[in-house]
Amino acid sequence: MKNSATSKNDISLIAGSGYFAYESAMFLKKINRLNKIYLINENKNIDNRFTNIVIKSNIRNIEQLINSIKKEKFKNVLIVGYVNLPPFSEIKLSFLSKLYLKKNLYSKSINDQSLILKNFLVNKKINLISQKKIFKDFLLQKNDQIHNKNHKKLISNIELNKKKIERIFNLDICQSIIMSGNRILSYEDIDGTDHMIERIGKKNKDFNDLIFVKSKKKNQIDEIDFPILGINTIKLLRKYNFKALCSFHQKTIISKKQLFLEKISKSNLSLVVL
């Protein structure tokens, strides 16, 4: 991504745990857009590399965090990383904020938590930046495909099932599934991607041609929880002899993208981008 005329250290990063939060900080620094980092989960990489601009925060004091950001000249905020959310009752909020959040929590389903958080921050005059727009060079593209010559039939079958797979992500129920042929074996649940791969992978003698699919859900919030794939996923897929990793064009961010593609090319996996 080229530096634009507006590049002026204008983004505050709210960072959780995970390598991609650190990678995000490094990228924002490279393009001269990193202002401060509000660290709300432990992240040693960020802590060690960005000591001078890190502010330790606690999600329980979210309004204090918001007020700190609003005191800055720039109110552009990018949220990246994993956060251990406490029970709602433990979050310190003003009376008006409690009314606002409770009204939304009761009127919307649990799947809309990200949207509720986004609307809450926007209501507080915070300008949330889209992960997809900032990290456009990290997105998985159609031309990133890597097809193993031994997987022609399997890849053809995935492409034939494109609409079926797409319908699943349009239902907004999960951002990862595992397939074998035309069968859907598992949906990602509250335990996450790695747990699902481990659980199905340990039964892989019962299934042929395991396929892992990850993609942005139809209504997933670009500013908060855009799906991310990293090196650890490749390691797990290889460990359990998966045949293919699949996603949709520009619907997934890839951490360490160049290394990720190199690892795929040197493995027995196929990377299919629909």
Side-chain angles (χ1 to χ4, degrees):
M1 182 186 292
K2 295 180 181 178
N3 290 2
S4 67
T6 59
S7 294
K8 49 191 175 183
N9 301 99
D10 61 332
I11 296 176
S12 293
L13 177 66
I14 297 180
S17 59
Y19 183 84
F20 190 68
Y22 171 70
E23 191 174 0
S24 301
M26 292 294 289
F27 179 73
L28 291 175
K29 180 178 173 60
K30 180 181 177 182
I31 63 172
N32 299 316
R33 297 197 67 180
L34 182 61
N35 186 349
K36 283 188 173 63
I37 301 174
Y38 293 88
L39 196 57
I40 55 176
N41 249 51
E42 184 177 359
N43 193 315
K44 291 182 179 178
N45 286 321
I46 287 178
D47 224 354
N48 294 335
R49 179 65 178 79
F50 295 96
T51 305
N52 294 335
I53 60 170
V54 165
I55 299 171
K56 299 285 183 68
S57 302
N58 191 317
I59 196 66
R60 289 174 173 81
N61 299 317
I62 188 169
E63 289 206 271
Q64 183 180 328
L65 187 157
I66 290 169
N67 289 335
S68 295
I69 293 170
K70 290 174 74 171
K71 287 178 183 177
E72 302 293 331
K73 181 179 178 182
F74 303 109
K75 299 179 181 64
N76 298 323
V77 168
L78 182 67
I79 302 176
V80 182
Y82 303 105
V83 180
N84 296 320
L85 291 174
F88 179 73
S89 60
E90 293 182 14
I91 300 175
K92 298 176 183 177
L93 295 165
S94 68
F95 178 72
L96 289 177
S97 292
K98 284 181 180 178
L99 285 179
Y100 177 87
L101 281 173
K102 282 186 177 180
K103 179 186 73 174
N104 281 277
L105 284 168
Y106 288 126
S107 65
K108 299 178 184 296
S109 75
I110 194 71
N111 294 325
D112 290 325
Q113 282 185 343
S114 295
L115 179 59
I116 292 167
L117 176 59
K118 175 185 174 179
N119 289 341
F120 176 68
L121 293 172
V122 170
N123 185 59
K124 295 289 186 178
K125 311 300 182 187
I126 298 295
N127 181 36
L128 284 180
I129 307 295
S130 165
Q131 293 178 7
K132 183 177 181 179
K133 289 180 180 178
I134 286 290
F135 303 121
K136 63 182 182 180
D137 294 340
F138 295 67
L139 293 172
L140 189 62
Q141 310 275 356
K142 189 81 173 175
N143 60 8
D144 291 323
Q145 292 193 110
I146 299 169
H147 290 181
N148 187 308
K149 63 182 180 181
N150 297 319
H151 297 160
K152 288 183 180 180
K153 185 176 179 181
L154 178 136
I155 292 167
S156 176
N157 194 51
I158 291 173
E159 291 171 344
L160 286 172
N161 278 310
K162 178 181 177 179
K163 289 186 178 180
K164 175 183 177 181
I165 297 169
E166 204 165 26
R167 279 199 296 271
I168 293 167
F169 293 100
N170 285 341
L171 291 172
D172 280 319
I173 57 175
C174 66
Q175 63 177 11
S176 298
I177 61 172
I178 292 176
M179 300 179 68
S180 178
N182 296 322
R183 294 176 61 193
I184 297 170
L185 302 179
S186 183
Y187 297 88
E188 181 181 342
D189 58 20
I190 195 170
D191 292 318
T193 299
D194 291 356
H195 179 268
M196 178 181 69
I197 295 172
E198 292 267 7
R199 179 165 51 82
I200 298 299
K202 288 173 181 176
K203 300 178 181 178
N204 66 4
K205 291 180 181 178
D206 301 331
F207 308 110
N208 295 317
D209 299 336
L210 288 176
I211 304 158
F212 172 72
V213 188
K214 190 176 186 83
S215 181
K216 178 180 180 289
K217 296 179 289 185
K218 182 180 180 181
N219 294 316
Q220 200 160 352
I221 306 301
D222 289 3
E223 294 88 349
I224 296 175
D225 58 353
F226 203 87
I228 297 169
L229 276 169
I231 303 298
N232 189 57
T233 299
I234 297 175
K235 290 179 181 177
L236 280 175
L237 297 179
R238 293 181 68 181
K239 177 181 177 180
Y240 293 111
N241 299 313
F242 276 68
K243 294 292 194 306
L245 186 162
C246 175
S247 189
F248 289 86
H249 178 67
Q250 295 191 343
K251 294 292 181 73
T252 313
I253 288 172
I254 306 298
S255 177
K256 296 185 179 179
K257 186 175 179 181
Q258 189 58 43
L259 180 60
F260 182 93
L261 296 176
E262 288 174 7
K263 292 279 188 184
I264 293 279
S265 65
K266 292 176 181 177
S267 73
N268 292 321
L269 281 165
S270 285
L271 175 60
V272 182
V273 184
L274 297 171

